[in-house]
Amino acid sequence: MEEKLNIKEFLDRDEKKDLLRLLTAGSVDDGKSTLIGRLLFDSKKLYEDQLDALERDSKRVGNAGDNIDYALLLDGLKAEREQGITIDVAYRYFSTNLRKFIIADTPGHEQYTRNMITGGSTANLAIILVDARSGVITQTRRHTYLVSLLGIKHVVLAVNKMDLVGYDKGVFDKIVADYLAFAEPLGIPDITPIPLSALKGDNVVEKSENMSWYEGKPLLTFLETVRVDSDHNFDDFRFPVQYVLRPNLDFRGFSGKVASGVVHKGDEVMALPSGKRSHVKSICVYEGELDEAFPPQSITITLEDEIDVSRGEMLVHPDNLPAAARDFEAMVVWMDEEPMDTEKNFFIKHTTNMTRAHIDSIKYRVDVNSMEQLKADRLSLNEIGRVVFTTNKPLFFDPYSKNKSTGAFILIDPITNNTSAVGMIIGEVSPDEERRSRKGTVITVTGEASRRGEAADKLVARLADEGHTVVVIGREIEGARNIDADKCDVEAEIADIIDKL
């Protein structure tokens, strides 16, 4: 009986462990995959069949001489093993007595920038690897810039291959000084340098006797103890409604994930965009009711009053509102093989909301190797730029630097359904710039009076549905786009006009 209780206690404790999501980034041969493989191996988180396969593969296709090639635990694609590089993002899960981990081993090549962005989009911490022989190089700066762009607050500067420089403290100190000087303007709040050797195991799981001058924690101990729970935004309550739950006539709740902030039973809330107010009647989860909820909990909220709220709308506290705007600027990473077409109307997916979006302008493209800001009229695969958007209906957002959940979005190609880009919102466009970016289109409707009136009504209704501002004037204007209600397929003409707006 006692053994069963102990097992139950163990499972309860295991379930309550918090989760750390981390990514590794570094140049080719810096040892990312080797480091993670060593972490798994030394923390005894591998099964016997994995160990047997690792030893067998190390002799057959390994790149570590007589040593075990720990990188083979992550480089699973044939091309990765043949070339000795990481191409796709490899995810590994393991846990210790103190914490659970999900590791994303991301590729270091510039041509795989989108893979690194994908792997790092949910990460709390990044391990930036540097070869002790090479120091801070272009790829190091590029990866650090991408980490700062993703809003990752904790960075471990892992100076690897210290065994190949004789465990020299001077080498380590110079690399750290160079890195901190570069990273300071990027505003990363927590940078922890650790000297190690992934191949030999120095400072990976156990403290290294070869570097007695290093007084900090080994990597695994640091990962087990770094505080990331305060990274969530607990100040600004944002609840994007994902689903209206109506199992019977007596229950109407709004389901979704708390994006940020804290909500209590009895709180006054406002529904956006309607602006209608009510109070929280109950906060429901599978196990029952809660008195409060916070990110990243998934909950169902019921309200005291019957107000109209649908998917894509948002519940907030009335005294703490997000920006509500159709015009904003964002940092964008282009993810599609097909280059950006600024004439195209994209779908934008933001929280639980979906609408159309148009690219107004590209302020600049970032050279991710030099951080230089360059003029650009479009973005291609893996390129990053600062872009101004206009959407068909208002989005409710916060700057990404303040709130990741309500500051991130994806662009979807309406024809291929490919993810064209991911974006991090900077803020609203200034009123002057908004006026400059607005492009007006004049459309004249001609034909027999009754047909002309019917066509005009359809056109105005469709434009309004799409979020466009429409002004009706009673005269023809030279050079305007014409719809002849007598001669053309009015529905097709309207659809064509809207696609080109």
Side-chain angles (χ1 to χ4, degrees):
M1 183 69 179
E2 186 163 342
E3 186 180 347
K4 286 183 179 178
L5 284 174
N6 289 338
I7 291 172
K8 187 178 184 307
E9 287 173 8
F10 170 79
L11 292 173
D12 286 344
R13 277 201 309 272
D14 190 66
E15 192 176 331
K16 289 173 184 172
K17 288 180 195 171
D18 69 337
L19 173 66
L20 178 68
R21 296 175 181 268
L22 60 123
L23 72 86
T24 58
S27 180
V28 177
D29 295 331
D30 278 350
K32 301 183 302 298
S33 301
T34 303
L35 175 63
I36 298 172
R38 185 90 211 194
L39 206 57
L40 297 171
F41 183 87
D42 282 4
S43 58
K44 298 178 174 56
K45 299 301 173 187
L46 299 175
Y47 297 110
E48 287 186 14
D49 60 335
Q50 289 177 298
L51 291 171
D52 292 340
L54 178 61
E55 290 181 13
R56 185 172 63 252
D57 289 348
S58 295
K59 292 172 184 174
R60 188 166 56 87
V61 293
N63 295 302
D66 294 332
N67 297 306
I68 291 177
D69 188 354
Y70 299 102
L72 296 178
L73 285 168
L74 281 90
D75 289 341
L77 298 178
K78 185 180 179 185
E80 294 177 325
R81 294 185 171 210
E82 287 174 350
Q83 300 177 49
I85 63 171
T86 299
I87 296 173
D88 200 3
V89 182
Y91 293 96
R92 285 293 177 270
Y93 168 87
F94 77 103
S95 67
T96 65
N97 291 334
L98 298 178
R99 182 172 260 169
K100 298 175 183 176
F101 301 91
I102 296 177
I103 306 176
D105 181 26
T106 59
H109 292 63
E110 185 175 353
Q111 74 221 52
Y112 301 125
T113 296
R114 63 175 173 178
N115 302 58
M116 181 177 169
I117 293 292
T118 301
S121 60
T122 57
N124 311 107
L125 179 146
I127 301 175
I128 305 284
L129 269 89
V130 174
D131 189 325
R133 299 168 299 174
S134 310
V136 176
I137 59 174
T138 300
Q139 287 93 323
T140 313
R141 290 191 283 271
R142 172 161 53 87
H143 296 145
T144 305
Y145 172 72
L146 293 175
V147 163
S148 70
L149 188 69
L150 288 166
I152 297 173
K153 293 182 169 60
H154 308 276
V155 169
V156 173
L157 176 64
V159 182
N160 194 22
K161 304 189 180 181
M162 286 297 294
D163 55 310
L164 300 182
V165 295
Y167 302 104
D168 188 339
K169 182 179 185 294
V171 171
F172 174 72
D173 289 344
K174 183 179 185 311
I175 290 172
V176 171
D178 291 346
Y179 184 83
L180 292 178
F182 160 75
E184 185 179 6
L186 298 177
I188 301 170
D190 178 27
I191 299 175
T192 303
I194 300 177
L196 50 84
S197 168
L199 191 63
K200 303 289 186 184
D202 294 287
N203 279 341
V204 178
V205 173
E206 301 292 340
K207 197 88 183 283
S208 171
E209 295 179 2
N210 296 310
M211 290 178 279
S212 55
W213 45 264
Y214 172 67
E215 297 177 353
K217 300 172 182 176
L219 179 62
L220 182 61
T221 305
F222 176 80
L223 296 178
E224 286 181 319
T225 55
V226 62
R227 291 287 304 275
V228 294
D229 50 357
S230 60
D231 292 351
H232 285 294
N233 179 333
F234 292 107
D235 299 322
D236 309 308
F237 175 58
R238 307 286 185 258
F239 184 71
V241 175
Q242 185 171 346
Y243 182 72
V244 180
L245 189 62
R246 194 74 188 266
N248 55 57
L249 293 174
D250 301 320
F251 187 95
R252 182 166 177 263
F254 307 106
S255 302
K257 179 184 281 191
V258 181
S260 62
V262 182
V263 63
H264 301 83
K265 190 173 176 179
D267 278 1
E268 185 181 20
V269 292
M270 176 188 285
L272 298 176
S274 70
K276 291 181 179 177
R277 302 186 182 199
S278 184
H279 288 82
V280 176
K281 183 178 180 181
S282 64
I283 302 170
C284 306
V285 293
Y286 178 76
E287 293 81 6
E289 291 192 15
L290 304 174
D291 290 328
E292 64 176 17
F294 47 83
Q297 286 179 302
S298 294
I299 60 172
T300 297
I301 290 177
T302 65
L303 302 177
E304 297 281 0
D305 306 286
E306 286 284 333
I307 63 173
D308 184 28
V309 183
S310 304
R311 175 182 169 83
E313 299 182 5
M314 187 179 284
L315 296 179
V316 299
H317 286 142
D319 59 349
N320 183 336
L321 302 178
R326 290 178 53 213
D327 299 89
F328 62 90
E329 54 185 283
M331 296 303 296
V332 167
V333 183
W334 197 254
M335 309 281 277
D336 204 338
E337 302 280 350
E338 183 181 325
M340 175 190 284
D341 178 359
T342 55
E343 296 301 313
K344 185 182 289 186
N345 269 341
F346 295 88
F347 287 117
I348 186 169
K349 175 77 168 64
H350 172 259
T351 63
T352 57
N353 200 354
M354 177 91 86
T355 186
R356 291 267 190 169
H358 182 77
I359 295 164
D360 283 334
S361 63
I362 303 172
K363 287 198 161 184
Y364 56 78
R365 176 177 69 82
V366 178
D367 182 329
V368 291
N369 292 319
S370 65
M371 307 300 119
E372 191 179 355
Q373 296 175 1
L374 307 170
K375 283 189 176 180
D377 55 7
R378 68 176 188 175
L379 298 178
S380 299
L381 177 64
N382 293 318
E383 290 185 338
I384 297 171
R386 185 163 175 163
V387 179
V388 178
F389 291 92
T390 296
T391 56
N392 282 4
K393 61 182 181 181
L395 302 183
F396 315 113
F397 60 82
D398 301 285
Y400 183 81
S401 58
K402 183 182 180 185
N403 195 332
K404 279 189 180 185
S405 299
T406 59
F409 64 88
I410 62 171
L411 282 187
I412 300 168
D413 188 301
I415 299 169
T416 64
N417 273 336
N418 289 340
T419 298
S420 296
V422 297
M424 287 71 73
I425 296 174
I426 296 167
E428 294 181 68
V429 176
S430 66
D432 289 342
E433 189 164 359
E434 182 180 332
R435 280 194 290 272
R436 286 198 299 272
S437 70
R438 287 263 188 249
K439 295 187 279 290
T441 299
V442 181
I443 305 161
T444 301
V445 182
T446 60
E448 193 269 324
S450 62
R451 289 197 188 97
R452 185 175 71 235
E454 185 182 345
D457 289 344
K458 284 182 180 178
L459 177 61
V460 169
R462 281 292 303 279
L463 289 169
D465 285 345
E466 293 286 337
H468 298 288
T469 302
V470 184
V471 177
V472 179
I473 54 180
R475 59 187 175 86
E476 292 189 32
I477 295 178
E478 190 177 341
R481 172 77 183 264
N482 183 60
I483 294 178
D484 188 337
D486 292 332
K487 297 179 181 178
C488 67
D489 181 343
V490 172
E491 295 285 356
E493 279 289 306
I494 291 173
D496 185 54
I497 286 170
I498 287 173
D499 278 344
K500 291 178 179 175
L501 286 177

